[in-house]
């Protein structure tokens, strides 16, 4: 059996598909090849799927609106962000905490919907998200709270966010700034590849890890989830290039150019088995 048929055969056994968004499903305002076809394939066969993104600058409502605008019809229930995962994580551990959030209005609203009070002074914990509205004064304030020893959480570890024209600095660069100033890393980073986000999404899907596949473009987040027992597929449509794979400690189970190639393999497996 060649590699393509082997991949298709393994994926045909999967009962839940997790897909990254930035660099996997779209780049900027451009839907990437195969996204519509793959989602249609999963919908027609009633296979559960979720868009699992580390990008906490937008809420699931924001993402649903964007995907629909780009031509991919999905509901909010199909989207799971690191922001939601962080809110759920803290809800179990600090349900009534007053939070200082270095994040967008969408992230703050996500936490409000989970019952948290968002404050600027005298917080009990701080949360750092991918804050595309960040100012120097707020970064300074965050560092003061972190230096004072408050519990410190970050939504995800991504260093860069891929765009149509290159890369935007992501939360990883902000974490590095805070660490340089305060000497502290976040106490917990919730998003991929860390256990809290995969525990939350598998609780939502009800599908065991061995029947779940993660499709994404980043080795150190999407593909590193393979350590949990999930099958991983690397797409080369975003941050990672083929030359990056050999030197990485995180090796994908499979590599494809994009979702279009993945869909073609699944379709071929379906026609052979049918």
């Amino acid at each position: 059996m060649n590699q393509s048929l082997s991949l298709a055969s393994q994926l045909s056994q999967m009962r839940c598909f997790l897909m990254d968004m930035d660099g996997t499903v779209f780049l900027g305002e451009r839907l990437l090849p195969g996204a519509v076809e793959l989602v249609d394939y999963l919908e027609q066969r009633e296979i559960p799927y979720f868009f699992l993104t580390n990008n906490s600058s937008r809420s699931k409502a924001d993402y649903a609106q964007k995907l629909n605008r780009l031509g991919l019809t999905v509901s909010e229930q199909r989207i799971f962000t690191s922001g939601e995962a962080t809110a759920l994580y803290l809800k179990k551990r600090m349900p009534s905490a007053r939070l200082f959030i270095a994040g967008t209005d969408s992230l703050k609203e996500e936490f409000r919907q989970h019952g948290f009070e968002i404050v600027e002074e005298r917080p009990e914990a701080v949360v750092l998200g991918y804050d595309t509205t960040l100012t120097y004064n707020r970064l300074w304030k965050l560092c003061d709270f972190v230096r004072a020893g408050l519990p410190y959480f970050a939504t995800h570890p991504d260093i860069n966010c891929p765009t149509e024209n290159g890369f935007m600095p992501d939360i990883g660069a902000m974490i590095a700034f805070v660490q340089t100033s305060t000497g502290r890393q976040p106490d917990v980073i919730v998003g991929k590849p860390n256990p809290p986000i995969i525990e939350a999404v598998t609780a939502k899907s009800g599908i065991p890890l061995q029947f779940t596949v993660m499709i994404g473009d980043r080795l150190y987040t999407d593909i590193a989830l393979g350590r949990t027992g999930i099958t991983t597929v690397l797409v080369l449509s975003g941050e990672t290039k083929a030359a990056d794979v050999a030197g990485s400690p995180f090796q994908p189970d499979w590599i494809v150019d994009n979702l279009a190639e993945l869909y073609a393999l699944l379709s071929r497996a379906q026609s052979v088995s049918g």
Side-chain angles (χ1 to χ4, degrees):
M1 182 181 290
N2 65 36
Q3 182 172 339
S4 295
L5 289 177
S6 181
L7 169 57
S9 176
Q10 183 174 358
L11 290 182
S12 67
Q13 305 304 311
M14 294 295 106
R15 291 162 47 195
C16 181
F17 282 63
L18 306 178
M19 289 174 277
D20 178 55
M21 284 197 278
D22 297 307
T24 301
V25 173
F26 57 71
L27 270 178
E29 291 298 313
R30 178 169 60 91
L31 202 62
L32 290 170
V36 172
E37 292 83 359
L38 180 58
V39 168
D40 285 347
Y41 176 94
L42 298 173
E43 287 278 4
Q44 290 168 13
R45 288 157 184 79
E46 299 182 342
I47 300 172
Y49 66 92
F50 295 95
F51 296 96
L52 183 64
T53 180
N54 266 358
N55 191 333
S56 60
S57 68
R58 301 185 182 194
S59 68
K60 57 186 178 182
D62 295 330
Y63 271 118
Q65 291 172 8
K66 176 170 184 174
L67 290 173
N68 279 270
R69 185 176 72 249
L70 295 181
L72 196 60
T73 304
V74 297
S75 68
E76 291 182 24
Q77 286 67 40
R78 294 293 188 187
I79 297 166
F80 197 73
T81 71
S82 67
E84 181 181 2
T86 304
L88 290 170
Y89 180 86
L90 289 180
K91 187 77 171 177
K92 291 181 179 179
R93 293 158 178 82
M94 307 178 70
S96 58
R98 291 159 46 90
L99 302 178
F100 174 84
I101 295 183
T104 61
D105 288 342
S106 290
L107 182 62
K108 293 173 186 175
E109 182 58 29
E110 183 82 63
F111 276 83
R112 288 191 186 98
Q113 289 178 6
H114 285 84
F116 289 98
E117 181 183 0
I118 311 305
V119 299
E120 292 297 310
E121 304 297 337
R122 298 186 298 280
E124 296 170 292
V126 298
V127 176
L128 174 61
Y130 175 26
D131 191 357
T132 54
T133 65
L134 191 63
T135 64
Y136 184 83
N137 282 338
R138 286 192 64 74
L139 194 53
W140 184 357
K141 196 169 191 176
L142 171 65
C143 288
D144 282 344
F145 289 140
V146 170
R147 194 177 294 108
L150 290 178
Y152 169 34
F153 304 93
T155 57
H156 62 289
D158 298 42
I159 298 168
N160 289 307
C161 180
T163 73
E164 292 175 280
N165 302 310
F167 299 100
M168 293 172 60
D170 206 319
I171 187 175
M174 301 170 193
I175 290 172
F177 184 106
V178 174
Q179 182 183 12
T180 301
S181 177
T182 68
R184 282 184 68 191
Q185 282 269 12
D187 300 319
V188 176
I189 301 177
V190 173
K192 299 176 292 184
N194 300 303
I197 194 169
I198 202 62
E199 290 166 4
V201 77
T202 51
K204 197 169 189 176
S205 72
I207 306 297
L209 290 176
Q210 64 266 34
F211 298 112
T212 301
V213 58
M214 178 71 217
I215 305 161
D217 70 302
R218 286 188 179 92
L219 290 165
Y220 63 94
T221 56
D222 302 314
I223 304 310
L225 277 177
R227 297 177 299 181
T228 68
I230 286 179
T231 296
T232 59
V233 177
L234 175 70
V235 292
L236 300 175
S237 52
E239 180 174 310
T240 302
K241 304 308 175 190
D244 301 328
V245 178
S248 172
F250 310 114
Q251 291 295 306
D253 293 305
W254 306 98
I255 303 174
V256 295
D257 286 337
N258 50 34
L259 294 183
E261 182 181 351
L262 191 63
Y263 166 71
L265 290 171
L266 284 169
S267 297
R268 187 186 311 168
Q270 181 71 23
S271 63
V272 170
S273 64

